Amino acid sequence: MSPDTSARTQMVCPHCGATNRIPTERLGDGPVCGRCQQALLDGHPLALTDASFDKVVAGSGLPVVVDFWAPWCGPCRMMAPQFEAAAAQLKGRALFVKVNSDENPQLSARYGIRSIPTLLKLQGGREVDRVAGAMPAAQVAAWAQR
């Protein structure tokens, strides 16, 4: 039997913190964590905090799209279903996460968030792009894939 040479993508489980290596061609199939059996990429944005953000983002082999938002923000509430739809559209190709900027001031300060909603695109844990303001799902998805 020949060794498995298929490409694998690393994902950190946001629920238990375990590192998982998933065959890249199976990312869109709804992989679950090997330790806790929770969904890793279910097509819905993950809520991250000051405490969980670094481990999940640094451990992701996929691009990470971050939505900084707050519950009192009207444009944020308008964009929430659009962000959700973009996450479903790019399931298995990008990790979509949400950060409540009021509840996570350290992340907001670190990334210099001055207005919300603000989207960041991270690759390998580093910011590669950002955009502020509400957008429709198609525009979010197109931006995330650039």
Side-chain angles (χ1 to χ4, degrees), residues 67-141:
D67 176 15
F68 281 90
W69 70 286
W72 52 263
C73 169
C76 298
R77 288 194 314 268
M78 284 180 9
M79 192 169 115
Q82 302 302 313
F83 193 73
E84 180 94 19
Q89 182 181 343
L90 297 181
K91 176 182 172 183
R93 292 183 280 169
L95 177 63
F96 280 68
V97 303
K98 295 182 73 71
V99 174
N100 181 325
S101 60
D102 287 346
E103 293 176 358
N104 301 283
Q106 292 173 341
L107 285 170
S108 297
R110 183 191 333 166
Y111 287 103
I113 302 303
R114 302 283 178 247
S115 65
I116 52 176
T118 293
L119 300 182
L120 302 182
K121 184 166 50 170
L122 308 174
Q123 186 73 48
R126 300 170 137 207
E127 182 179 342
V128 295
D129 202 2
R130 91 170 36 205
V131 65
M135 297 185 287
Q139 191 175 352
V140 173

Side-chain angles (χ1 to χ4, degrees), residues 48-58 66 97 99 107 111 122:
L48 296 182
T49 64
D50 286 335
S52 62
F53 185 86
D54 287 332
K55 185 168 186 175
V56 171
V57 169
V66 185
V97 303
V99 174
L107 285 170
Y111 287 103
L122 308 174

Side-chain angles (χ1 to χ4, degrees), residues 2 12 22-23 42 44 47 59 70 86 92 112 114 125 137-138 141:
S2 65
V12 171
I22 304 150
D42 65 358
H44 298 285
R114 302 283 178 247

Side-chain angles (χ1 to χ4, degrees), residues 3-10 20-27 61-62:
D4 182 8
T5 58
S6 65
R8 296 188 180 272
T9 300
Q10 180 173 298
N20 294 265
R21 287 165 188 75
I22 304 150
T24 302
E25 71 274 2
R26 304 286 318 266
L27 288 170
L62 294 174

